[in-house]
Amino acid sequence: MDDIDAMFSDLLGEMDHLSQSLTEATVSSGEDAAPQESSFSIGFNNLNESLNELEDHDLDALMVDLESKSTDQQSSTHNDTRNPTGNETSPPAVYQESEPVVTFPMITTQSSRAVKMNEPQTKADKIKVALEKLKEAKVRKLIIKVLMSDNSSKTLMVDERQTVRDVLDTLFEKTHCENSIEWSLCETNPDLQTERAFEDHECLVEPLSAWSRLSENKLYFLSTPQKYMMFTEPQIFYMWKKKSSGDMNSQAKELLIKEHFGGSTTIVPNLEGVLYLKEDGKKVWKPRYFMLRASGIYYVPKGKTKSSTDLTCFVRFEKVNVYTTSSYKQKYRAPTDFCFLLKHPCIQKESPYIKILCCEDKHTLLLWVNSIRIAKVRNPTVLPPWKARTQVHKLISLKLNHHLTPDFFNPPGQEYL
């Protein structure tokens, strides 16, 4: 019973530490008595500033969208008021659609002037109306600032239904750059000195909502040539033990891709090797032999073998994302600057729940980070949407100079959307 009590006390302590880490990252300390304007904008000091940064046609589109939703809500409320008990049966929808009843009010000169007076005339008026309607909207919306490589920026309005790929398409239109799957939206965290490229299938509002209120995180629009390297150079990940894996013809690449990505589930690279592990709370790094599996990363304890029964779980992938780092050799005395970490997206500052690993070289870092990305999307229900996979298919066809049918990414019987 003493052992059980001790284990229970340790568990409570761990839960308390995790609770504090998540609270620091997501909740400010008692300063939110007023409505949190930061919940509507990312990269700005306040919501009013972000609305001012919107281009006129984007602001007009936002106004139309919010107005339509407001009208729908009022209509729904009016219908509920007319039929509170639900005893009356409404006529079939087909009759409502085919024989609509429309009443046109008499419009006089005075009434038309009144209507014009009620409509927002200036950008300031539109912003004032948008501020109120944003707070009433049921669909979560964010106004975000996206930084470019030349230090310029674009301001966009996104809602919780839009994927990263949808936002990228909008940026292609605004920047007039080439529509390529190599472009990414990347988040940077100056406190942790980390960077992560969002996956195309992610809904952008969700990870951005994990940023703390006073966060200095930034969102960048960058070209990332290695983004889909697992499709263009699959031999690097699935034949990494062979020194000659860099040379492979198009037909062999296609067979390798079909073998590992063409089934009902994706096959994760069987990656393993020595990595340096940072000890909790210390600037001490110890080498351990790590092995990648579909569920997470495991390591071989001292005195044990590589047998699956002897492996110890280091981290599971369900609730964490993988991030690359910068200058960890200086910050934490890492053996090299080729480090990556795994953490819950809500953890925005240093925490004992962040797992940091260091690689010998850049190539090893590339292998581990992208293999972890493969493992995280191996389940068909969370694969990138068809829109993104179509462009991946085009890129592979171009690189391999060989045609791959759409069924390659949507095998018969597998509905991913």
Side-chain angles (χ1 to χ4, degrees):
M1 292 300 295
D2 291 340
D3 290 340
I4 293 176
D5 289 340
M7 290 171 62
F8 186 65
S9 298
D10 290 341
L11 178 61
L12 288 177
E14 292 289 313
M15 292 173 65
D16 183 56
H17 280 304
L18 180 58
S19 173
Q20 290 176 8
S21 298
L22 295 177
T23 301
E24 289 176 2
T26 55
V27 182
S28 57
S29 55
E31 300 176 356
D32 299 331
Q36 297 186 10
E37 291 189 350
S38 62
S39 62
F40 299 109
S41 61
I42 294 292
F44 299 94
N45 294 326
N46 54 63
L47 181 57
N48 191 68
E49 178 189 344
S50 64
L51 288 170
N52 267 302
E53 287 291 324
L54 281 176
E55 297 178 9
D56 288 341
H57 65 274
D58 289 332
L59 182 59
D60 290 339
L62 171 62
M63 292 286 295
V64 171
D65 187 33
L66 292 172
E67 188 63 41
S68 65
K69 286 178 172 54
S70 175
T71 304
D72 291 343
Q73 291 174 16
Q74 292 176 4
S75 175
S76 176
T77 305
H78 179 66
N79 291 337
D80 291 344
T81 306
R82 291 184 59 185
N83 188 16
T85 60
N87 292 330
E88 296 181 11
T89 303
S90 59
V94 65
Y95 295 114
Q96 293 180 2
E97 292 179 1
S98 59
E99 299 178 7
V101 179
V102 182
T103 304
F104 294 95
M106 294 294 292
I107 300 179
T108 63
T109 304
Q110 292 182 350
S111 64
S112 63
R113 286 177 183 173
V115 170
K116 290 182 180 178
M117 289 293 290
N118 289 333
E119 292 179 356
Q121 298 297 314
T122 65
K123 187 170 185 177
D125 294 333
K126 293 178 182 178
I127 290 173
K128 185 176 180 180
V129 175
L131 283 170
E132 295 301 320
K133 293 193 176 295
L134 270 174
K135 295 172 185 178
E136 299 171 0
K138 290 186 177 180
V139 177
R140 182 126 191 241
K141 295 177 180 291
L142 282 179
I143 300 172
I144 61 174
K145 177 187 282 187
V146 183
L147 302 174
M148 310 292 156
S149 55
D150 61 356
N151 293 325
S152 63
S153 65
K154 293 292 181 183
T155 303
L156 305 177
M157 238 285 303
V158 298
D159 67 43
E160 61 190 7
R161 299 163 297 186
Q162 289 180 283
T163 64
V164 171
R165 193 67 214 176
D166 294 330
V167 179
L168 287 173
D169 288 340
T170 302
L171 283 168
F172 291 140
E173 294 177 4
K174 287 183 173 291
T175 59
H176 306 291
C177 70
E178 182 184 359
N179 189 332
S180 165
I181 64 165
E182 293 183 355
W183 286 90
S184 297
L185 282 177
C186 302
E187 65 167 325
T188 61
N189 183 322
D191 291 329
L192 294 176
Q193 295 175 212
T194 59
E195 178 180 319
R196 181 174 85 93
F198 293 121
E199 302 293 351
D200 283 356
H201 65 274
E202 289 185 78
C203 291
L204 185 60
V205 168
E206 185 176 349
L208 294 185
S209 299
W211 292 7
S212 56
R213 182 179 181 186
L214 302 178
S215 171
E216 295 185 5
N217 293 9
K218 303 294 183 185
L219 191 61
Y220 286 89
F221 178 54
L222 300 173
S223 176
T224 51
Q226 298 171 347
K227 180 178 180 179
Y228 285 119
M229 200 172 181
M230 65 283 292
F231 294 118
T232 58
E233 303 293 339
Q235 73 280 6
I236 293 178
F237 302 95
Y238 292 98
M239 300 175 65
W240 60 274
K241 290 183 179 180
K242 297 183 179 181
K243 293 183 179 179
S244 60
S245 62
D247 300 323
M248 181 174 282
N249 60 44
S250 300
Q251 188 175 5
K253 285 183 180 180
E254 181 184 351
L255 291 174
L256 196 61
I257 292 172
K258 286 187 176 181
E259 179 184 350
H260 294 89
F261 292 94
S264 59
T265 59
T266 300
I267 299 176
V268 177
N270 191 22
L271 192 60
E272 59 184 65
V274 175
L275 300 175
Y276 295 92
L277 168 64
K278 182 183 177 296
E279 292 194 353
D280 294 339
K282 300 178 183 179
K283 294 183 178 180
V284 178
W285 299 77
K286 291 187 176 181
R288 289 189 181 275
Y289 198 89
F290 287 89
M291 307 180 78
L292 178 68
R293 296 292 182 264
S295 59
I297 299 176
Y298 297 78
Y299 67 89
V300 181
K302 277 188 176 181
K304 299 292 185 179
T305 67
K306 296 181 184 179
S307 170
S308 59
T309 57
D310 291 334
L311 296 180
T312 299
C313 182
F314 174 65
V315 65
R316 292 188 179 276
F317 294 140
E318 290 93 341
K319 303 293 183 181
V320 300
N321 289 325
V322 60
Y323 301 77
T324 54
T325 67
S326 62
S327 303
Y328 269 32
K329 188 174 183 179
Q330 177 183 356
K331 183 176 183 178
Y332 292 120
R333 298 177 188 169
T336 72
D337 262 331
F338 306 110
C339 302
F340 68 93
L341 62 81
L342 297 112
K343 70 176 184 70
H344 191 286
C346 286
I347 299 176
Q348 295 290 308
K349 298 185 180 295
E350 291 193 32
S351 164
Y353 294 94
I354 297 177
K355 306 294 185 182
I356 308 176
L357 294 172
C358 180
C359 305
E360 287 281 2
D361 50 47
K362 186 176 181 179
H363 178 72
T364 306
L365 176 66
L366 173 78
L367 276 177
W368 277 93
V369 170
N370 286 290
S371 295
I372 291 170
R373 290 176 57 218
I374 294 172
K376 282 186 60 63
V377 296
R378 67 182 296 271
N379 188 329
T381 60
V382 295
L383 280 175
W386 172 246
K387 188 172 185 180
R389 287 200 304 279
T390 301
Q391 298 192 48
V392 174
H393 158 243
K394 290 178 181 177
L395 177 64
I396 295 172
S397 300
L398 180 64
K399 294 286 186 180
L400 301 184
N401 195 24
H402 197 86
H403 179 68
L404 297 178
T405 65
D407 285 342
F408 170 75
F409 285 105
N410 268 341
Q414 294 291 336
E415 299 296 335
Y416 294 159
L417 294 184

